Amino acid sequence: MAFTKSQRLQQLPPYLFVEIDKAKRAAVAAGKDVINLGVGDPDQPTPKFIIERMHTATEDPKNHRYPFDEGVPEFRRQAAAWFARRFGVTVDADKQLITLIGSKEGIAKLPLAVLNPGDVSLVPQPGYPVYNAASIFAGGQVHHMPLTHGNGWLPDLDAIPAGVAKSARLMFLNYPNNPTAAVAPLPFFAKAVAFAKRHDILICQDAAYSEMWYETPPPSIFQVPGAMDVAVEMHSLSKTFNMTGWRLGFAVGNEAVIAALAQVKSNMDSGQFNAIQQAGLAAIAGADRPEVAGLRDMYRQRRDALVDGLTKLGWKVDRPAATFYVWIRCPEGVDSMTTTRRLLAEANVVTIPGVGLGKPGQGYIRAALTVATERIAEAVERIAKVNF
Ligand SMILES: Cc1ncc(COP(=O)(O)O)c(C=O)c1O
């Protein structure tokens, strides 16, 4: 059989990081001391109190069977209680909240519950690539909403053509934002909710970084009155608790949409291991523990080391208010790919070219604060020697 990939796979954009990945592997293989600011994966271990809960949960035979469809009820209740504490919003843990195998799972499956072939999906660019891929897999037509410095890295909803808005059924938002680190103010969410109501669009607000903030906790879209009519919000334990490998998150939102997502899930997966949900429950209950606040302090130190260091060198960098990303303007006249390539070749520092996450990311690179402050300081020293 001559295998041909499905058209839906062929529709995905080319992977732009091949060359950089290759150069990075070659540098590591050659024994170079590479500082990797490329990956958005916490370098610290999961806090002990969560691991301890996992140990006891694995001993309980009840947890060895198929998980509940909508997730362990106590996990959902704990998540709902946290939602009320954190955002002042009451949600029904049985009807408006569902456990996810990481927020990526919910993002990837939601379009199957919402879109019919040909429906438009509004996707921010630059952005997390899953919004685009999941929309395509569900037969959707993607309309990109450019995020630019000029609009504060928020999509300009007024610039969406009337015909596109009319055919749109789904809009992805992601605040705090990967890769730009922007935070959406509540009035922007209010505007998005009004737009969604006007055009009959479901908003999927990806809040995977909602707890990675530095000074002020960012809002939830559900702090906008009436948002529950038109929105779901994806939450994740991955970054907050250094649990990327555990695969745990939850979706909060409109009851009918949560039920439809549950229906997609029950046909495609069997939920997350109950013991992981038990450990997650302990994590969420401990969201205000010093271990978690300590992570925030650690990232703040790293952020300031990178932002202050690069600013002193003359780079244009905004100090992020949230996420563990720093979105850095490339030197004048140098594009994303060239900047990334040269930082790797001449400083052994790995970054992500902004253009790889979508065309409007051209002229920027993304650095993740996933190495120790001393390594960041070392990276800055090396970058100082690269003559752009
Ligand atoms: C914007 C954004 N959303 C969602 C995710 C997925 O997170 P999770 O580990 O909860 O699946 C990521 C992961 O990097 C991300 O950057």
Side-chain angles (χ1 to χ4, degrees), residues 2 50 144 180 202 218 230 246 327 353 370:
I50 302 170
H144 290 296
T180 69
L202 177 75
V230 288
W246 298 60
W327 188 235
T370 45

PDB file of all heavy atoms in Angstrom, residues 2 50 144 180 202 218 230 246 327 353 370:
ATOM      1  N   ALA A   2       0.586   2.150  -0.906  1.00  0.00           N
ATOM      2  CA  ALA A   2       1.300   3.438  -0.863  1.00  0.00           C
ATOM      3  C   ALA A   2       0.506   4.342   0.074  1.00  0.00           C
ATOM      4  O   ALA A   2      -0.597   4.770  -0.260  1.00  0.00           O
ATOM      5  CB  ALA A   2       1.372   4.033  -2.261  1.00  0.00           C
ATOM      6  N   ILE A  50       2.024  16.937  46.708  1.00  0.00           N
ATOM      7  CA  ILE A  50       1.205  16.380  45.627  1.00  0.00           C
ATOM      8  C   ILE A  50       1.645  14.933  45.351  1.00  0.00           C
ATOM      9  O   ILE A  50       0.826  14.032  45.202  1.00  0.00           O
ATOM     10  CB  ILE A  50       1.328  17.252  44.359  1.00  0.00           C
ATOM     11  CG1 ILE A  50       0.887  18.685  44.669  1.00  0.00           C
ATOM     12  CG2 ILE A  50       0.525  16.655  43.216  1.00  0.00           C
ATOM     13  CD1 ILE A  50       1.192  19.696  43.569  1.00  0.00           C
ATOM     14  N   HIS A 144      -7.409  33.773  10.837  1.00  0.00           N
ATOM     15  CA  HIS A 144      -6.440  34.203  11.842  1.00  0.00           C
ATOM     16  C   HIS A 144      -6.709  35.620  12.320  1.00  0.00           C
ATOM     17  O   HIS A 144      -7.023  36.504  11.526  1.00  0.00           O
ATOM     18  CB  HIS A 144      -5.020  34.106  11.273  1.00  0.00           C
ATOM     19  CG  HIS A 144      -4.571  32.691  11.090  1.00  0.00           C
ATOM     20  ND1 HIS A 144      -4.411  31.824  12.137  1.00  0.00           N
ATOM     21  CD2 HIS A 144      -4.273  31.982   9.971  1.00  0.00           C
ATOM     22  CE1 HIS A 144      -4.031  30.645  11.689  1.00  0.00           C
ATOM     23  NE2 HIS A 144      -3.950  30.706  10.376  1.00  0.00           N
ATOM     24  N   THR A 180       3.152  35.872  23.658  1.00  0.00           N
ATOM     25  CA  THR A 180       3.463  37.299  23.856  1.00  0.00           C
ATOM     26  C   THR A 180       3.501  37.710  25.326  1.00  0.00           C
ATOM     27  O   THR A 180       3.916  38.820  25.651  1.00  0.00           O
ATOM     28  CB  THR A 180       2.435  38.197  23.135  1.00  0.00           C
ATOM     29  OG1 THR A 180       1.171  38.066  23.806  1.00  0.00           O
ATOM     30  CG2 THR A 180       2.265  37.815  21.680  1.00  0.00           C
ATOM     31  N   LEU A 202     -19.029  30.677  20.025  1.00  0.00           N
ATOM     32  CA  LEU A 202     -18.551  30.188  21.323  1.00  0.00           C
ATOM     33  C   LEU A 202     -17.094  30.630  21.504  1.00  0.00           C
ATOM     34  O   LEU A 202     -16.270  30.440  20.611  1.00  0.00           O
ATOM     35  CB  LEU A 202     -18.620  28.659  21.386  1.00  0.00           C
ATOM     36  CG  LEU A 202     -18.053  28.081  22.693  1.00  0.00           C
ATOM     37  CD1 LEU A 202     -19.013  28.292  23.850  1.00  0.00           C
ATOM     38  CD2 LEU A 202     -17.707  26.609  22.542  1.00  0.00           C
ATOM     39  N   PRO A 218      -4.346  37.586  37.053  1.00  0.00           N
ATOM     40  CA  PRO A 218      -5.181  37.978  35.913  1.00  0.00           C
ATOM     41  C   PRO A 218      -6.617  37.452  36.033  1.00  0.00           C
ATOM     42  O   PRO A 218      -6.870  36.493  36.758  1.00  0.00           O
ATOM     43  CB  PRO A 218      -4.478  37.334  34.716  1.00  0.00           C
ATOM     44  CG  PRO A 218      -3.457  36.412  35.248  1.00  0.00           C
ATOM     45  CD  PRO A 218      -3.315  36.618  36.711  1.00  0.00           C
ATOM     46  N   VAL A 230     -21.791  32.080  26.572  1.00  0.00           N
ATOM     47  CA  VAL A 230     -21.056  31.968  25.303  1.00  0.00           C
ATOM     48  C   VAL A 230     -19.605  31.509  25.445  1.00  0.00           C
ATOM     49  O   VAL A 230     -18.827  31.643  24.499  1.00  0.00           O
ATOM     50  CB  VAL A 230     -21.035  33.330  24.547  1.00  0.00           C
ATOM     51  CG1 VAL A 230     -22.386  33.664  23.964  1.00  0.00           C
ATOM     52  CG2 VAL A 230     -20.502  34.448  25.420  1.00  0.00           C
ATOM     53  N   TRP A 246       1.922  14.954  34.157  1.00  0.00           N
ATOM     54  CA  TRP A 246       0.820  14.229  34.795  1.00  0.00           C
ATOM     55  C   TRP A 246      -0.436  14.259  33.932  1.00  0.00           C
ATOM     56  O   TRP A 246      -1.279  13.394  34.038  1.00  0.00           O
ATOM     57  CB  TRP A 246       0.486  14.857  36.156  1.00  0.00           C
ATOM     58  CG  TRP A 246       1.582  14.829  37.169  1.00  0.00           C
ATOM     59  CD1 TRP A 246       2.820  15.392  37.051  1.00  0.00           C
ATOM     60  CD2 TRP A 246       1.530  14.240  38.470  1.00  0.00           C
ATOM     61  NE1 TRP A 246       3.532  15.184  38.210  1.00  0.00           N
ATOM     62  CE2 TRP A 246       2.760  14.486  39.093  1.00  0.00           C
ATOM     63  CE3 TRP A 246       0.543  13.545  39.169  1.00  0.00           C
ATOM     64  CZ2 TRP A 246       3.043  14.044  40.380  1.00  0.00           C
ATOM     65  CZ3 TRP A 246       0.812  13.122  40.452  1.00  0.00           C
ATOM     66  CH2 TRP A 246       2.063  13.355  41.053  1.00  0.00           C
ATOM     67  N   TRP A 327       8.829  37.874  25.645  1.00  0.00           N
ATOM     68  CA  TRP A 327       8.632  38.109  24.210  1.00  0.00           C
ATOM     69  C   TRP A 327       9.553  39.258  23.835  1.00  0.00           C
ATOM     70  O   TRP A 327       9.387  40.374  24.330  1.00  0.00           O
ATOM     71  CB  TRP A 327       7.164  38.442  23.985  1.00  0.00           C
ATOM     72  CG  TRP A 327       6.628  38.563  22.611  1.00  0.00           C
ATOM     73  CD1 TRP A 327       5.957  39.651  22.109  1.00  0.00           C
ATOM     74  CD2 TRP A 327       6.616  37.579  21.561  1.00  0.00           C
ATOM     75  NE1 TRP A 327       5.535  39.401  20.826  1.00  0.00           N
ATOM     76  CE2 TRP A 327       5.927  38.144  20.461  1.00  0.00           C
ATOM     77  CE3 TRP A 327       7.140  36.281  21.442  1.00  0.00           C
ATOM     78  CZ2 TRP A 327       5.747  37.446  19.261  1.00  0.00           C
ATOM     79  CZ3 TRP A 327       6.952  35.597  20.252  1.00  0.00           C
ATOM     80  CH2 TRP A 327       6.263  36.174  19.178  1.00  0.00           C
ATOM     81  N   PRO A 353      11.815  31.180  17.411  1.00  0.00           N
ATOM     82  CA  PRO A 353      11.515  32.314  16.524  1.00  0.00           C
ATOM     83  C   PRO A 353      10.012  32.608  16.523  1.00  0.00           C
ATOM     84  O   PRO A 353       9.206  31.697  16.307  1.00  0.00           O
ATOM     85  CB  PRO A 353      11.967  31.808  15.143  1.00  0.00           C
ATOM     86  CG  PRO A 353      11.964  30.318  15.246  1.00  0.00           C
ATOM     87  CD  PRO A 353      12.147  29.951  16.689  1.00  0.00           C
ATOM     88  N   THR A 370      12.856  28.833  31.979  1.00  0.00           N
ATOM     89  CA  THR A 370      12.885  27.481  32.531  1.00  0.00           C
ATOM     90  C   THR A 370      14.306  27.006  32.855  1.00  0.00           C
ATOM     91  O   THR A 370      14.584  25.808  32.860  1.00  0.00           O
ATOM     92  CB  THR A 370      12.186  26.512  31.553  1.00  0.00           C
ATOM     93  OG1 THR A 370      12.634  26.791  30.221  1.00  0.00           O
ATOM     94  CG2 THR A 370      10.686  26.691  31.584  1.00  0.00           C
TER      95      THR A 370
END
